Amino acid sequence: MNGEVHTCLFLVKPCYKQTSLDFKVAKFECALSRKMVLKQSIDQFKGQTRLPNFAVPKRYELHLKPDLTACTFSGTVQINLDIIESTNFLVLNSLELAIQNSWFTNSHGQYYPCDVVVDGDDEIIVLVFDETLSVGEGNLRIEFSGALNQHLTGLYKCTYVDGGVEKIMAATQFEPVDARRCFPCWDEPALKANFKITLTVPSELTALSNMPVENEKHDGELKNVNFEESPIMSTYLVAVVVGLFDHIEYTTTAGIKVRLYCAVGKSDQGKFALDIALKTLDIYTKYFSVPYPLPKLDLVAVPEFSGGAMENYGLIIYRENELLYHDLYSTAAKKQRITIVTAHEVAHQWFGNLVTMEWWTHLWLNEGFATWVSYMATNILFPEWNIWTHFLLEAADGLQMDALEKSHPIEVEINHARSVIEVFDAVSYNKGSTVIRMLEGYLGDVVFQESLSTYIRRYQAQNARTEDLWDVLSEVSGLPVNTMMSTWTKQTGYPVISVELIDHILEFKQSQFLLSGQHVDEQWIVPITLSIGSYEKKKKFLLETSHVRMDISELVQSTGDDLRSIKTEDEEDGQENLWVKVNVDQSGFYRVNYKDKLAIRLRKAVQNNSLLPTDKFGILDDGNALCQACEQSLSSLLMLIDVYRKEFDYIIVSKLIKVCHNVLKISTDAIPDSVNELRQYFINLLMYSAEQLGWDSISGEDHSISLLRGEVLQALATFDHYKTQKEALHRFQISLDDKNTALLSANTRRAAYVSVMRNTTTENRTGLESLLSLYRSTDILQERERILRCIASSADPNVVLEVLNLLLSDEIPDSDIIYVLAGVSSEGSEIAWTWLKDNWERILAKYGAGLLLTNFISRIVPLVNSNEKADEIEAFFASHMNASIVMNLKLSIEQIRNKARWIESVRQEHSLPDLIKQLAQRK
């Protein structure tokens, strides 16, 4: 098969024990009518978005017995059903499971299906009964078996090391639609039920599930672990873990036992995250006015995991390095990341688990809100971090993706549940959370909190749709929230607001912003905020049409300025304080395009330090995006960048670095003769920060300083700044001889490792060999992640190819490929695409069609820049398509074509080389 999707409809002959004459007669009679029944009825269940609703699960009794030696499992599930409509069929989800026996029992007797029909394409099984199952309660029992999944989905195997010996553990990842890989079930979020789970496992191992252990019964080398019955929950939130762990625990004042499980010997590294979990439980209990609904909460670090973490009810499973904090080897960025991830997953216990989306179309209700509220909680815990300014980096990612024509609405129609994998993206998380923050800013903190509290109480233990939330917000606020917000959740994209000053009139025009330059007639109801000359002079209004004019005479005159004197650009120096900043504090999900004199004044306001860091960030982010869309020239962007050369704020410099990286990448094709001077200009821009930061941290220094040092030094190393690389290599060499040296801190190690790889070539492989040796010899997971993030950053494409080939071996755990792919250098872009194309079938076989596979598309395909490469990629995947990459591939190809368009636009700027030469000479 060439990656094509085939419908797999076939009959599985049931393995029933024929124990009675009646059963044999029933089997014979059923056989006579089987063909007719199947022909007339089975097709009705194929190709459907949802399962038929004539049977609804109420309670599951699930018994699983994993064999960690054979990497298989067996199990039984007894499902208490409500038959809503009389039926000859029971249709439920199952994937890659062997069904041994099944039967249905109700007050009228016991019924055995005469056929079990498996549809692999729709991931369902159809149990066909000769006799009609009547309306009322009944119990469906199924005996099944399967293999521990190799691709980190369903009930899967992952490896760990105990005493130098590699061993196997079992863990689950069911979201979005992989509970069906573990046991037959009604695998839809709206079909909530209670779960009573039992695990049979080796006696020496720890067994965990959503609820506390009720009792354990030992039987030789095995034990049966029975867990308390859960409250109702969706199947994607069911979880089990079986392995060897250390743990630490704490009991809250409310009596909730909170435990953190991790690899043996690493429990000290779990203390920070456990403390965050405890504090966020308290924060959310107060914020939502609803107590945490379970008697315990476990946080478990597993060595292999496809995502960052998963919010299973009462049993949150994490990738190890998203939960464990090492005092010496974890960076300030990692500390911040662990805080946000932990706060995010704990928030899901309310927003997602207690109140659950009705269908995957409303995924953003889970992820957008958990993202937003995790920043709120982090801000409470660490106010000195100014985390809401860091949130703008999240918003920027959402804005970047949603400026693509192939993006999707926040509420995206999901027709095949499997396709929801691709919607765990920057729109659901980043745009979703930013739109929520925008709404909170419009309604006010008090009204917003009261609304969310009402929503949680009203829909607890139920499922909800986006409209349900808007209705509550409208009810509490007294405002038509539904009308305003539907434009943000049901439409793809967002507006750019063009702002022009004509005499004393500000003109606002909105249109959809697309990086492709296409013009689409869409409108949003936009909450506009603006300041004029001072943050004391603010105004806000709703932009509900495509065009609005506003008289600002009173606002301007109150600042002491005279509008009549605004005549020519030569007179701008006297009016530089009369700046207009729209989208104050960057609280809205839109871009702003300032015309003529307004743009000039804002550049001066940045230079004069008259604006908040958030607004400086927004001006730079919008300017960069407008340049990418060919709405503004690269010359204009470079002049804007130049006024940021004295900046020392983390989020501003971080954005500046990203803009410089992107400009440098396209300039290699657009203006190759000016690339070295452009690189020197960018180095000069960063030297102000670098000289103040130095390599060595100061005891008690600000969190943002630690963050900034790592980013600036790594950027200079990537830009091949000679002095930075020389110092980095010197410190790296000392660290190889003295692992305890203070010369290379956790925050500066990536800069050193990038420097090592930038000096690694096919002829001189010493750096790569040194890093791989360090990777293989260390058991410090934070170091292993850091090395993997850097080893593909060589400027030599052949070295990049050698690193990529490691992903086809067993050298690097499957779940860690994301780090390597994220670090591929721009010089290695074309060879990375060739490698992906040549090894596609091997990659598909090794990594499966899940979340991991999408990383190969989103990280490698957009690296190339030409329309010719885009054509080649489209042609290749025309015969190698996989359902789980369809949207990611379209987005990636669109990014390539947008860059090609940008490159062509830059080539038309004939004065650009002279400007770059002048800028490169500035210090």
Side-chain angles (χ1 to χ4, degrees):
M1 289 169 53
N2 293 317
E4 298 173 352
V5 179
H6 297 273
T7 299
C8 182
L9 179 63
F10 56 93
L11 301 185
V12 176
K13 185 176 181 181
C15 304
Y16 302 125
K17 298 177 182 178
Q18 300 183 11
T19 57
S20 69
L21 178 61
D22 289 342
F23 177 56
K24 291 179 181 179
V25 171
K27 288 281 287 180
F28 175 74
E29 292 175 347
C30 182
L32 294 178
S33 59
R34 180 182 306 169
K35 289 184 179 180
M36 180 179 69
V37 170
L38 290 178
K39 183 178 180 181
Q40 293 177 347
S41 303
I42 296 301
D43 283 350
Q44 68 180 298
F45 306 125
K46 287 176 51 57
Q48 300 300 308
T49 302
R50 310 281 284 267
L51 293 170
N53 58 8
F54 41 66
V56 179
K58 294 298 183 183
R59 182 178 184 272
Y60 292 79
E61 284 191 28
L62 176 63
H63 185 179
L64 294 172
K65 184 178 180 180
D67 184 334
L68 300 183
T69 302
C71 290
T72 61
F73 64 93
S74 59
T76 61
V77 63
Q78 182 167 297
I79 311 171
N80 177 246
L81 298 177
D82 264 354
I83 305 295
I84 308 299
E85 298 177 18
S86 57
T87 178
N88 288 82
F89 306 94
L90 290 177
V91 185
L92 61 161
N93 296 113
S94 179
L95 183 61
E96 298 174 354
L97 296 175
I99 309 299
Q100 275 81 42
N101 289 291
S102 61
W103 61 91
F104 180 80
T105 305
N106 63 14
S107 59
H108 302 293
Q110 197 167 71
Y111 304 87
Y112 289 84
C114 52
D115 277 297
V116 178
V117 182
V118 177
D119 186 336
D121 189 43
D122 286 318
E123 303 177 2
I124 61 173
I125 56 172
V126 182
L127 305 180
V128 184
F129 295 88
D130 186 46
E131 295 183 87
T132 301
L133 308 181
S134 58
V135 172
E137 288 192 10
N139 286 289
L140 174 65
R141 182 179 175 88
I142 303 176
E143 297 173 357
F144 58 91
S145 61
L148 293 181
N149 189 273
Q150 304 285 323
H151 303 307
L152 310 183
T153 60
L155 179 60
Y156 70 90
K157 74 164 191 173
C158 57
T159 59
Y160 64 100
V161 177
D162 174 32
V165 179
E166 188 173 88
K167 294 184 178 180
I168 303 294
M169 71 164 57
T172 55
Q173 173 53 36
F174 289 166
E175 189 181 31
V177 287
D178 285 312
R180 63 192 66 176
R181 293 185 192 269
C182 180
F183 60 101
C185 57
W186 274 258
D187 199 12
E188 295 182 3
L191 299 176
K192 288 186 170 185
N194 302 96
F195 286 83
K196 185 74 171 67
I197 295 174
T198 299
L199 298 176
T200 299
V201 300
S203 295
E204 73 277 9
L205 299 183
T206 299
L208 302 170
S209 188
N210 305 85
M211 298 297 289
V213 174
E214 190 172 64
N215 60 68
E216 290 186 4
K217 297 178 182 178
H218 289 259
D219 184 10
E221 295 182 351
L222 298 177
K223 63 181 177 182
N224 286 327
V225 184
N226 298 290
F227 297 92
E228 295 177 14
E229 185 165 330
S230 76
I232 66 168
M233 62 181 179
S234 304
T235 48
Y236 79 88
L237 296 170
V238 175
V240 300
V241 176
V242 179
L244 192 66
F245 296 103
D246 275 350
H247 79 272
I248 50 178
E249 67 177 75
Y250 185 85
T251 302
T252 69
T253 55
I256 300 163
K257 185 169 288 187
V258 185
R259 286 179 171 174
L260 186 145
Y261 291 84
C262 59
V264 174
K266 294 183 178 180
S267 58
D268 280 351
Q269 297 180 39
K271 291 178 180 178
F272 177 73
L274 181 64
D275 184 59
I276 298 298
L278 291 166
K279 290 175 178 175
T280 51
L281 275 175
D282 184 55
I283 289 170
Y284 298 144
T285 295
K286 292 176 182 176
Y287 188 85
F288 295 125
S289 302
V290 175
Y292 174 70
L294 301 184
K296 65 94 174 174
L297 176 63
D298 293 332
L299 289 69
V300 187
V302 298
E304 295 180 276
F305 196 70
S306 59
M310 175 59 205
E311 69 268 16
N312 313 296
Y313 222 174
L315 180 62
I316 304 173
I317 301 178
Y318 293 77
R319 179 187 292 260
E320 274 189 319
N321 42 12
E322 299 286 11
L323 186 65
L324 303 184
Y325 179 80
H326 195 292
D327 288 336
L328 292 179
Y329 289 95
S330 292
T331 62
K334 179 61 72 175
K335 186 175 188 178
Q336 183 171 303
R337 168 73 178 167
I338 289 171
T339 302
I340 292 170
V341 170
T342 301
H344 180 109
E345 305 307 333
V346 174
H348 271 310
Q349 306 302 307
W350 284 265
F351 233 105
N353 299 5
L354 183 61
V355 179
T356 311
M357 64 201 163
E358 191 275 336
W359 179 243
W360 298 109
T361 293
H362 310 280
L363 173 68
W364 86 283
L365 279 179
N366 282 14
E367 302 304 346
F369 267 89
T371 301
W372 168 79
V373 83
S374 69
Y375 276 81
M376 181 202 74
T378 300
N379 189 54
I380 293 171
L381 295 172
F382 299 101
E384 69 277 12
W385 287 2
N386 297 314
I387 200 66
W388 281 118
T389 64
H390 295 233
F391 179 79
L392 296 183
L393 297 170
E394 297 264 6
D397 288 343
L399 288 163
Q400 187 72 13
M401 178 178 169
D402 209 34
L404 299 173
E405 291 182 46
K406 301 299 183 183
S407 182
H408 61 83
I410 286 179
E411 292 182 72
V412 57
E413 288 300 320
I414 302 297
N415 295 317
H416 191 302
R418 179 65 51 188
S419 66
V420 75
I421 291 172
E422 292 201 278
V423 184
F424 287 81
D425 61 14
V427 170
S428 295
Y429 286 76
N430 306 60
K431 180 182 180 180
S433 57
T434 309
V435 164
I436 291 161
R437 186 171 183 243
M438 180 172 69
L439 180 60
E440 181 207 23
Y442 179 70
L443 296 179
D445 297 350
V446 175
V447 168
F448 200 69
Q449 179 177 358
E450 184 182 345
S451 300
L452 292 188
S453 177
T454 301
Y455 170 79
I456 293 289
R457 291 195 305 270
R458 183 173 299 175
Y459 290 100
Q460 61 182 319
Q462 300 179 55
N463 295 81
R465 302 165 62 90
T466 300
E467 290 77 10
D468 297 322
L469 177 62
W470 297 157
D471 287 346
V472 172
L473 283 159
S474 299
E475 173 189 318
V476 175
S477 68
L479 297 171
V481 173
N482 203 330
T483 303
M484 180 176 79
M485 295 309 295
S486 63
T487 65
W488 293 98
T489 62
K490 295 184 183 299
Q491 289 179 191
T492 300
Y494 59 88
V496 55
I497 311 299
S498 297
V499 188
E500 187 172 8
L501 180 63
I502 302 174
D503 294 328
H504 58 284
I505 301 295
L506 269 181
E507 288 194 347
F508 299 85
K509 295 179 182 178
Q510 67 159 304
S511 59
Q512 183 171 353
F513 179 76
L514 290 169
L515 288 169
S516 65
Q518 294 295 317
H519 294 280
V520 181
D521 291 330
E522 291 282 9
Q523 280 189 197
W524 288 259
I525 299 177
V526 189
I528 299 289
T529 56
L530 68 148
S531 289
I532 301 178
S534 164
Y535 286 108
E536 295 178 359
K537 305 298 178 184
K538 289 184 179 180
K539 188 173 182 63
K540 64 179 183 178
F541 65 96
L542 283 182
L543 177 61
E544 302 183 67
T545 59
S546 61
H547 182 209
V548 164
R549 293 162 59 90
M550 176 186 295
D551 189 329
I552 60 169
S553 300
E554 291 186 7
L555 282 171
V556 173
Q557 288 169 2
S558 66
T559 66
D561 292 305
D562 184 356
L563 281 168
R564 290 172 298 178
S565 69
I566 305 171
K567 298 292 184 182
T568 67
E569 189 172 316
D570 293 335
E571 296 169 340
E572 282 297 321
D573 286 344
Q575 298 296 325
E576 63 183 28
N577 290 329
L578 192 61
W579 49 262
V580 175
K581 175 62 177 68
V582 178
N583 196 10
V584 177
D585 211 25
Q586 293 304 111
S587 60
F589 194 81
Y590 55 90
R591 295 204 182 280
V592 184
N593 186 2
Y594 301 92
K595 301 296 184 179
D596 304 326
K597 62 175 72 74
L598 293 180
I600 295 170
R601 289 178 192 164
L602 275 178
R603 285 207 297 266
K604 291 180 179 177
V606 171
Q607 196 167 19
N608 295 338
N609 204 29
S610 301
L611 302 177
L612 294 169
T614 49
D615 287 323
K616 291 181 185 178
F617 176 99
I619 292 165
L620 179 58
D621 191 38
D622 288 346
N624 176 54
L626 290 163
C627 182
Q628 289 183 49
C630 305
E631 295 290 331
Q632 293 183 2
S633 66
L634 180 56
S635 298
S636 174
L637 177 61
L638 293 178
M639 291 300 292
L640 174 62
I641 287 173
D642 200 57
V643 302
Y644 287 84
R645 61 171 56 244
K646 297 291 186 181
E647 289 296 338
F648 197 61
D649 186 279
Y650 169 73
I651 63 156
I652 298 173
V653 178
S654 181
K655 171 53 64 177
L656 184 65
I657 288 169
K658 290 181 180 180
V659 172
C660 293
H661 273 302
N662 289 333
V663 170
L664 200 58
K665 286 175 184 177
I666 65 107
S667 296
T668 303
D669 290 314
I671 45 173
D673 292 341
S674 297
V675 166
N676 287 336
E677 289 173 316
L678 188 62
R679 182 183 289 110
Q680 185 57 54
Y681 170 49
F682 292 156
I683 288 171
N684 292 346
L685 286 174
L686 296 177
M687 287 310 297
Y688 174 80
S689 298
E691 288 169 357
Q692 292 190 66
L693 292 163
W695 276 83
D696 301 310
S697 59
I698 300 170
S699 179
E701 71 181 10
D702 188 78
H703 172 75
S704 65
I705 297 298
S706 300
L707 288 172
L708 186 58
R709 179 180 293 107
E711 287 222 24
V712 168
L713 292 176
Q714 184 182 338
L716 288 171
T718 304
F719 291 151
D720 295 324
H721 180 232
Y722 174 74
K723 289 184 178 179
T724 299
Q725 289 188 358
K726 181 180 178 182
E727 181 66 20
L729 293 173
H730 170 67
R731 289 172 181 252
F732 174 72
Q733 194 58 49
I734 292 174
S735 74
L736 291 179
D737 300 330
D738 178 9
K739 293 182 179 180
N740 297 318
T741 181
L743 286 178
L744 205 55
S745 69
N747 293 309
T748 57
R749 281 178 179 267
R750 277 184 69 180
Y753 297 167
V754 167
S755 296
V756 168
M757 290 308 304
R758 297 296 294 176
N759 285 276
T760 297
T761 62
T762 307
E763 294 75 26
N764 180 10
R765 300 177 65 263
T766 305
L768 176 60
E769 290 169 356
S770 295
L771 282 180
L772 287 177
S773 176
L774 182 58
Y775 173 81
R776 290 161 182 156
S777 63
T778 185
D779 62 352
I780 299 171
L781 62 95
Q782 292 85 359
E783 265 292 80
R784 290 168 67 86
E785 175 189 337
R786 189 157 36 237
I787 292 167
L788 292 179
R789 286 186 179 276
C790 299
I791 57 173
S793 61
S794 171
D796 186 329
N798 291 319
V799 175
V800 175
L801 178 61
E802 183 178 347
V803 170
L804 290 173
N805 282 332
L806 291 175
L807 302 184
L808 302 175
S809 69
D810 294 327
E811 175 83 10
I812 298 171
D814 288 358
S815 59
D816 289 353
I817 58 133
I818 60 173
Y819 305 132
V820 178
L821 294 175
V824 174
S825 66
S826 57
E827 295 90 347
S829 59
E830 294 206 4
I831 207 163
W833 156 240
T834 302
W835 172 84
L836 180 66
K837 178 178 60 174
D838 292 346
N839 293 285
W840 179 249
E841 295 302 330
R842 291 179 66 186
I843 291 167
L844 192 58
K846 180 173 171 59
Y847 293 98
L851 286 172
L852 289 177
L853 186 67
T854 62
N855 285 280
F856 286 95
I857 302 300
S858 61
R859 292 295 187 178
I860 289 180
V861 172
L863 291 176
V864 296
N865 288 342
S866 69
N867 281 314
E868 292 74 18
K869 284 295 178 184
D871 292 341
E872 181 184 320
I873 291 164
E874 283 184 328
F876 174 79
F877 281 108
S879 58
H880 295 81
M881 185 54 70
N882 184 280
S884 65
I885 64 166
V886 173
M887 187 174 72
N888 262 286
L889 183 62
K890 289 179 180 178
L891 290 168
S892 297
I893 291 171
E894 184 180 348
Q895 290 176 66
I896 298 170
R897 297 198 186 280
N898 287 343
K899 285 192 293 180
R901 177 173 173 267
W902 188 17
I903 287 168
E904 189 56 38
S905 175
V906 170
R907 285 173 178 162
Q908 306 309 311
E909 294 186 51
H910 302 298
S911 62
L912 186 58
D914 289 338
L915 174 63
I916 291 172
K917 188 172 293 186
Q918 294 173 27
L919 292 172
Q921 293 171 355
R922 294 187 185 179
K923 299 294 183 182

